Amino acid sequence: MNCRVRTYMQVAGTEDGIKEPQATFSACFGAAFIMLHPTKYAAMLAEKMKKHGATGWLVNTGYYGSGKRIKLAYTRKIIDAIHSGKLLEAKYTKTEIFGLEIPTEIEGVPSEILDPANTWPDKAGHRETLVKLGGLFKNNFEGFLNYKIGSDNVTEEILAAGPNME
């Protein structure tokens, strides 16, 4: 099951009429083609992960704050650490706004690129961008707030895991 909200950026110069990067949301990689409500797929995924003891990892394979692309060799090292189980034993730090847990070090990967905040020369600009993106996530999720699966209101759990704008 491949169900996640995919956020990607429309980048200036690659899309007609785009002057600055714009976030675009797609539930389950194709909202127009899914048969059930996206929160149903989220609940199914969570149930299967729990049943099978699976872990989930978010890996940034794109760009980081300085506008540089993450080297493929670093991405491979991160994936190797996931597969070997080393990341399960790593030390983590939590990001602001999204509360993502980021390993403080991975063998063969420069530690400064693991936390996106470290790669932005303009720290205030980084925070401003995080707040803006967090707001975009919250606004996007408003369309899912009143959906219930049986007697459970899965959306409350999902919402609680979302961006913390305080």
Side-chain angles (χ1 to χ4, degrees), residues 74-107:
Y74 298 155
T75 300
R76 287 183 178 141
K77 291 286 187 182
I78 294 167
I79 299 301
D80 288 346
I82 291 169
H83 288 159
S84 71
K86 287 182 182 176
L87 277 190
L88 292 172
E89 302 164 2
K91 292 180 183 173
Y92 288 82
T93 184
K94 202 172 250 193
T95 66
E96 156 175 53
I97 307 295
F98 286 93
L100 300 172
E101 294 183 359
I102 299 175
T104 57
E105 59 183 88
I106 297 174
E107 187 179 329

Side-chain angles (χ1 to χ4, degrees), residues 49-72:
M49 288 179 75
K50 186 175 182 179
K51 178 181 176 182
H52 298 287
T55 55
W57 302 92
L58 175 64
V59 179
N60 181 2
T61 60
Y63 291 88
Y64 54 95
S66 62
K68 294 181 182 173
R69 184 125 177 111
I70 293 177
K71 292 182 179 179
L72 184 57

